[in-house]
């Protein structure tokens, strides 16, 4: 039986890497995409201990790179069953009147245009198959405002709406499109004081792990979740549901 295939952008670290590993553990062949080769090759080697895996160099802001990512995945593994759009940047955190417009453009190019481009090119392959699932990694910042940059908030709000519109257009081809909006997630860059602050904003009184988000993404990609389409699932441990 042909293996199912998951493509994960931003798959060499953080939430993306955790998602790639979760799909690999479930027996999927996994294609991860990122910009930095050394980090990408290390993640590829780690994933290959579990399942078939391939790293592809990809700047998601580049249409040619996104086109090549889908093409390479199809050539290597024959299909694409799941696309996880995780690649993204936060953008510079600055006072409103000190904002760098070029930084905002870069953030939108990566987070929004990158997401849409990958939906298009991986979606073409899913359309040919008559089935597929696209999971876009959004954020609580797509729904409520907090301390992150205005560029990040704008991009995640755009991803929420792009998800809804893409789901509406692609449903007739058997493709589901949804978004997962994490709360505060502990990565290697999170400082202890930030973690302590973020923990208070979650019902469990601790920040989330990349593996928790990966588990949510995996569950929603399965046929048992076929009723979930065109929406944003808040994977935020209650962050958006209460205030202290």
């Amino acid at each position: 039986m042909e293996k199912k295939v998951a493509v994960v952008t931003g798959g060499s670290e953080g939430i993306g890497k955790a998602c790639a590993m979760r799909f690999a553990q479930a027996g999927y062949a996994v294609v991860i995409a990122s910009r930095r080769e050394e980090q990408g090759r290390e993640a590829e080697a780690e994933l290959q201990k579990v399942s078939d895996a391939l790293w592809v160099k990809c700047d998601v802001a580049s249409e040619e790179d996104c086109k090549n990512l889908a093409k390479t995945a199809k050539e290597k593994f024959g299909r694409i069953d799941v696309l996880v759009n995780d690649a993204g940047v936060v953008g510079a955190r600055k006072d409103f009147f000190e904002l760098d417009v070029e930084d905002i453009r870069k953030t939108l190019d990566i987070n929004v245009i990158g997401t849409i481009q990958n939906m298009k090119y991986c979606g073409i392959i899913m359309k040919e198959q008559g089935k597929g699932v696209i999971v876009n990694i959004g954020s609580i910042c797509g729904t409520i405002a907090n301390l992150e940059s205005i560029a990040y908030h704008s991009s995640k709000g755009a991803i929420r709406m792009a998800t809804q519109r893409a789901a509406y257009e692609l449903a007739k081809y058997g493709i589901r499109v949804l978004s997962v909006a994490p709360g505060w997630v502990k990565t290697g860059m999170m400082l202890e004081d930030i973690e302590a602050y973020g923990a208070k904003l979650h019902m469990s009184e601790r920040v989330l792990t990349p593996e928790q988000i990966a588990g949510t993404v995996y569950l929603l990609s399965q046929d048992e979740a076929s009723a979930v389409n065109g929406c944003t699932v808040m994977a935020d441990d209650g962050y958006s549901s209460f205030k202290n």
Side-chain angles (χ1 to χ4, degrees):
M1 182 178 178
E2 190 176 34
K3 274 191 175 185
K4 288 186 175 181
V5 180
V7 174
V8 183
T9 69
S12 61
E13 61 182 326
I15 292 172
K17 184 178 179 182
C19 288
M21 182 58 73
R22 182 65 187 86
F23 281 100
Q25 290 169 341
Y28 283 65
V30 180
V31 179
I32 57 172
S34 64
R35 291 181 292 179
R36 294 188 287 275
E37 182 168 3
E38 183 177 357
Q39 191 177 45
R41 294 297 184 192
E42 289 175 358
E44 178 187 59
E46 190 174 339
L47 289 163
Q48 286 175 342
K49 295 176 183 178
V50 181
S51 187
D52 294 327
L54 175 69
W55 171 76
V56 177
K57 183 177 178 62
C58 178
D59 176 354
V60 297
S62 163
E63 183 174 10
E64 283 304 310
D65 280 10
C66 294
K67 188 184 298 186
N68 180 65
L69 172 61
K71 178 174 177 286
T72 301
K74 175 71 182 297
E75 289 176 348
K76 177 68 175 179
F77 296 117
R79 58 188 298 112
I80 298 175
D81 296 278
V82 179
L83 165 65
V84 181
N85 270 313
D86 175 64
V89 294
V90 174
R93 300 179 179 94
K94 291 186 176 182
D95 178 85
F96 185 84
F97 296 106
E98 299 298 324
L99 291 173
D100 181 341
V101 175
E102 284 307 309
D103 179 75
I104 294 173
R105 286 197 181 97
K106 177 183 176 182
T107 301
L108 294 174
D109 276 347
I110 293 171
N111 294 7
V112 183
I113 303 302
T115 293
I116 293 171
Q117 289 176 162
N118 279 303
M119 285 199 290
K120 174 183 176 180
Y121 290 108
C122 288
I124 289 170
I125 294 168
M126 292 177 177
K127 178 184 174 183
E128 293 170 354
Q129 299 165 179
K131 186 176 183 181
V133 180
I134 298 171
V135 183
N136 298 322
I137 303 300
S139 170
I140 51 174
C141 296
T143 303
I144 58 177
N146 64 17
L147 300 177
E148 294 296 356
S149 71
I150 193 168
Y152 187 72
H153 279 83
S154 299
S155 71
K156 293 303 183 178
I159 286 172
R160 179 165 56 86
M161 292 309 302
T163 295
Q164 291 178 214
R165 180 59 194 176
Y168 179 78
E169 292 205 52
L170 300 181
K172 61 187 174 185
Y173 303 115
I175 302 170
R176 283 195 297 128
V177 188
L178 59 115
S179 175
V180 169
W184 289 48
V185 182
K186 184 171 183 177
T187 64
M189 295 184 294
M190 180 174 279
L191 302 175
E192 287 186 14
D193 58 337
I194 296 296
E195 181 177 352
Y197 172 76
K200 297 175 183 178
L201 304 175
H202 296 77
M203 287 186 177
S204 65
E205 297 187 351
R206 58 179 180 270
V207 296
L208 300 162
T209 66
E211 288 73 23
Q212 284 179 285
I213 307 305
T216 302
V217 169
Y218 175 76
L219 289 171
L220 291 170
S221 73
Q222 300 304 293
D223 288 343
E224 289 83 351
S226 61
V228 183
N229 196 13
C231 64
T232 295
V233 176
M234 305 304 290
D236 65 352
D237 189 27
Y239 180 110
S240 58
S241 298
F242 79 102
K243 291 183 181 293
N244 284 330

